[in-house]
């Protein structure tokens, strides 16, 4: 058995021994579905677009049509994408945990809906969901999806207060849903095994979740081809694409 295989074997043992498993994902898990990440040089969205002009409440106040068009472009990109073997492996992990009466939580920073599309059910969307719209004034969720808006038409409005509808995602300078963040920290604290997958671990408060889990005694595993600020602190760092390594990690479970 080579070193990599024995590491995978040890992680499989941790999974089998764990009572509560929490997974945090970021844009990297969807990279193999063809969705650009944010901070990587060249392909990263924030190397091509200025977040100040597109992903802040101020940007929406100043140019709501531009912001809606940009999110509509991203929603179309995501709609055409398919979950990849990494997303599907996490469905297997959830099913395995259910069968073994282990607690399982999947916390995602992604707004692309691909975990739900793959079949994961225990998903907390920290940064919202790109397909949903909500009112920019009263905050009420809309039943209309972003893809139903035609960018040649006028901007959609709230049926209750008439305010403009906006993507139901968290922008820079905004707070996450208190309920979602409280449940996420609770999941991190209660876990004895914590995976951080495909995230640069730079954006708070999500970036604080692995440390919270570690402090409460969890074994930390990072899956990311690149080093991150977390890499030195984790118990295992697997420097591979998620779509390659996750199926290898989970296919032996229950067998
Ligand atoms: P980033 O773009 O900051 O980081 C993506 C990470 O994925 C990088 O560390 C890559 O090395 C890694 N990666 C790339 N391909 C991978 C693969 N195939 N398998 C595993 N890892 C891979 O994205 P996030 O950390 O998700 O927020 O960014 C966090 C938040 O910043 C986003 O949710 C978004 C952004 O601004 C909002 O929009 C509120």
């Amino acid at each position: 058995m080579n070193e990599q295989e024995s590491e995978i074997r040890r992680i499989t043992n941790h999974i089998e021994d764990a009572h509560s498993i929490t997974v945090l994902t970021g844009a990297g898990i969807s990279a193999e579905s063809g969705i650009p990440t944010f901070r990587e040089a060249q392909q990263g969205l924030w190397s091509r677009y200025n977040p100040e002009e597109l992903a802040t409440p101020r940007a929406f106040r100043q140019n709501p049509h531009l912001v809606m068009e940009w999110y509509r472009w991203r929603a179309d990109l995501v709609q055409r994408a398919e979950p990849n073997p990494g997303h599907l492996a996490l469905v297997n992990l959830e099913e395995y945990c259910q069968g073994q009466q282990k607690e399982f939580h999947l916390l995602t920073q992604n707004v692309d809906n691909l975990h739900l599309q793959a079949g994961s059910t225990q998903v907390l969307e920290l940064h919202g969901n790109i397909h949903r719209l909500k009112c920019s004034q009263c905050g009420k969720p809309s039943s209309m999806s972003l893809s139903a808006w035609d960018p040649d038409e006028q901007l959609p409005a709230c049926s209750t207060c008439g305010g403009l509808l906006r993507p139901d995602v968290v922008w820079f300078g905004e707070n996450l849903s208190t309920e979602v963040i409280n449940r996420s920290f609770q999941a991190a604290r209660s876990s004895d095994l914590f995976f951080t997958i495909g995230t640069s671990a730079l954006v708070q408060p999500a970036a604080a979740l692995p440390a919270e889990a570690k402090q409460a005694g969890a074994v930390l595993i990072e899956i990311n081809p690149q080093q991150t600020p977390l890499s030195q602190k984790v118990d295992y760092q697997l420097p591979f694409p998620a779509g390659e390594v996750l199926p290898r990690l989970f296919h032996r479970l229950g067998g």
Side-chain angles (χ1 to χ4, degrees), residues 26-29 31-32 37-40 46 109-110 127 170-172 197-201 203 223-226 228 240-243:
I29 194 159
E32 289 155 271
T37 58
F38 292 94
R39 290 179 183 75
E40 289 178 276
W46 296 151
Q109 298 167 86
N110 299 344
H127 293 163
V170 177
W171 282 331
F172 290 100
I197 305 172
T199 174
S200 57
V203 174
I223 295 168
N224 195 320
Q226 307 293 330
T228 74
F240 309 105

Side-chain angles (χ1 to χ4, degrees), residues 92-170:
N92 291 343
L93 179 63
E94 179 178 337
E95 285 169 356
Y96 164 79
C97 288
Q98 265 164 6
Q100 301 287 316
Q101 272 87 49
K102 295 178 193 290
E103 249 186 72
F104 177 81
H105 299 276
L106 176 49
L107 321 176
T108 188
Q109 298 167 86
N110 299 344
V111 298
D112 60 25
N113 206 48
L114 287 181
H115 286 303
L116 289 167
Q117 211 177 306
S120 291
T121 64
Q122 302 296 313
V123 186
L124 286 174
E125 294 174 314
L126 288 155
H127 293 163
N129 185 304
I130 199 166
H131 298 302
R132 291 194 305 254
L133 293 170
K134 68 176 182 184
C135 179
S136 60
Q137 298 296 318
C138 70
K140 193 177 159 204
S142 169
S143 57
M144 180 180 174
S145 74
L146 179 53
S147 310
W149 172 62
D150 177 350
D152 293 332
E153 301 283 318
Q154 61 183 9
L155 291 167
C158 174
S159 55
T160 305
C161 77
L164 290 181
L165 295 182
R166 54 161 278 184
D168 189 1
V169 298
V170 177

